[in-house]
Amino acid sequence: MPALQRRTTAVLIVSQILGGLGVPIGIALAPVLATEISGTEAVSGLAPTASVVGTALLSVPLASLMTSRGRRPGLVLAYLIGALGAGLVVLAALADSFPLLLIGMAGFGAASSANLQARFAAADLAAPDRRARAISTVVWATTIGAVLGPNIAAPAGRVFAGTSIPVTAAPFLWAAVIFLVTGVVVATLLRPDPLLTARALAPREEQSAAGRSLRAGIAAVKASPRARLALVTVAVTHTAMVSIMTMTPVHLGHHGAGLELVGLVISGHIAGMYAFSPVMGWLADRLGRLSVIGLAAGLLSLAALLAGTSGGSHGQTAAGLFVLGLGWSAGLVSGSALLTDSVPQPARAAVQGLSDLTMNSAAGVGGAAAGLIVAQAGYGWLNAAGALLLLPMAALALFTARTAPAKKAARTASGG
């Protein structure tokens, strides 16, 4: 089993490095490309939002496929859809079609869905006391590609200089090729399938197919306060991060930043998201999931303060985006581990798909609203709104932390 876990983790690390090269291209360039095609910044947030919506809409079907067929088919299909979406984005730029851009970005979001689902694949065979670290290791692997991705956007665009492909659209061609290669790697090397293996090794009473449905997953979440907190955590942290990050390239552009500087700031943000995830995983395993959820709330609040008051200071904006990434990492790793801990094994794949649906649906709404908030009120008010989102998460975490010891004491007193 340890050897199988190491092999599975190694394959997932390679896929995350490759996938990490492609996905950030869309993060860095989608708002800029949307502004160029539409002619207005008011709808610039819709392009990255379409990617988030695509990630959300595909989460449950992909989880359903994984539930019945395993992790490998779901991940491969997601990367193939992501490659198709990237190709449509290039066609949209050539045709100057904003609706086609949104369709392409929705398909592009499938690659994000694959990257997110990979963290749960790492947890399938992990021991409970190392589950957060297993998740964080795969999340960390995205750092290499994710930091390089935005910075190769400008050179990749210049490769097609002199052609009809716009500079801001050409990097999506590179992303399409990267996603295709990633799909081949997963299809070839992710064997045996970690989810099917974990299911085969589970006790006989946990192997019922009836417990694997989406309805069973929803029932499992309703029955567990900690699972509900985990869902709220990943949804709120992802929404706050996406809303602020989506409009940062536009904010930087307002203050004279070029494409290279935008790529550098986004790279720093993504480094915060992924590079320190092993630290977050270690803390979640050692100090507990709830402690790291509290850390996430504090980091995200600080990020909103730094970015929201940055004005024309590119350095302060970059610092705010870096801390924003750290907060997201703490929330995602601890929330994902807590969710996996809190539901029965048969329902995990369905609940994990429900988690990604919830977090990306909420982030889609936040991303769509972000463009309107910036257009009407400014970037500072967007950060204030992001900070306000953290209040219900922090309150629920405090309530859960206080009630858990009381319930444990009551069970002990009753002999349970």
Side-chain angles (χ1 to χ4, degrees), residues 46-240:
L46 292 182
T49 298
S51 177
V52 175
V53 170
T55 303
L57 292 177
L58 288 165
S59 296
V60 171
L62 288 173
S64 178
L65 177 61
M66 292 180 190
T67 297
S68 60
R69 302 289 298 276
R71 298 288 185 191
R72 186 174 65 252
L75 294 176
V76 171
L77 178 61
Y79 283 121
L80 292 179
I81 296 174
L84 176 62
L88 289 178
V89 169
V90 177
L91 291 178
L94 291 172
D96 205 30
S97 171
F98 190 72
L100 185 58
L101 172 66
L102 297 183
I103 295 172
M105 288 304 302
F108 188 88
S112 295
S113 184
N115 284 358
L116 288 170
Q117 285 288 326
R119 76 190 191 278
F120 291 124
D124 286 334
L125 298 174
D129 61 345
R130 297 189 63 85
R131 194 167 281 151
R133 275 171 281 188
I135 292 171
S136 66
T137 299
V138 173
V139 173
W140 168 85
T142 311
T143 307
I144 300 172
V147 172
L148 292 176
N151 290 292
I152 68 172
R158 287 194 290 267
V159 169
F160 293 91
T163 69
S164 58
I165 301 176
V167 172
T168 49
F172 284 92
L173 283 178
W174 293 93
V177 174
I178 290 169
F179 293 155
L180 289 174
V181 172
T182 308
V184 171
V185 168
V186 172
T188 305
L189 299 179
L190 194 62
R191 300 172 183 271
D193 191 282
L195 178 59
L196 299 183
T197 303
R199 187 177 296 162
L201 295 174
R204 185 174 298 275
E205 61 270 16
E206 294 187 2
Q207 297 185 11
S208 170
R212 302 172 191 166
S213 66
L214 180 60
R215 179 176 296 181
I218 294 173
V221 171
K222 288 182 177 179
S224 172
R226 287 183 168 241
R228 294 196 294 272
L229 171 61
L231 278 179
V232 170
T233 297
V234 295
V236 168
T237 55
H238 195 58
T239 301

Side-chain angles (χ1 to χ4, degrees), residues 240-266:
M241 185 277 290
V242 168
S243 300
I244 296 172
M245 177 270 297
T246 292
M247 297 310 298
T248 298
V250 176
H251 168 72
L252 289 169
H254 284 163
H255 295 280
L259 189 58
E260 284 79 4
L261 180 57
V262 170
L264 186 62
V265 171
I266 295 299

Side-chain angles (χ1 to χ4, degrees), residues 340-387:
T340 305
D341 293 341
S342 304
V343 297
Q345 201 281 335
R348 282 178 187 165
V351 170
Q352 290 158 356
L354 178 64
S355 169
D356 284 354
L357 170 64
T358 303
M359 67 185 278
N360 286 291
S361 297
V365 174
L372 296 175
I373 293 174
V374 169
Q376 298 297 321
Y379 185 68
W381 283 104
L382 172 63
N383 282 270

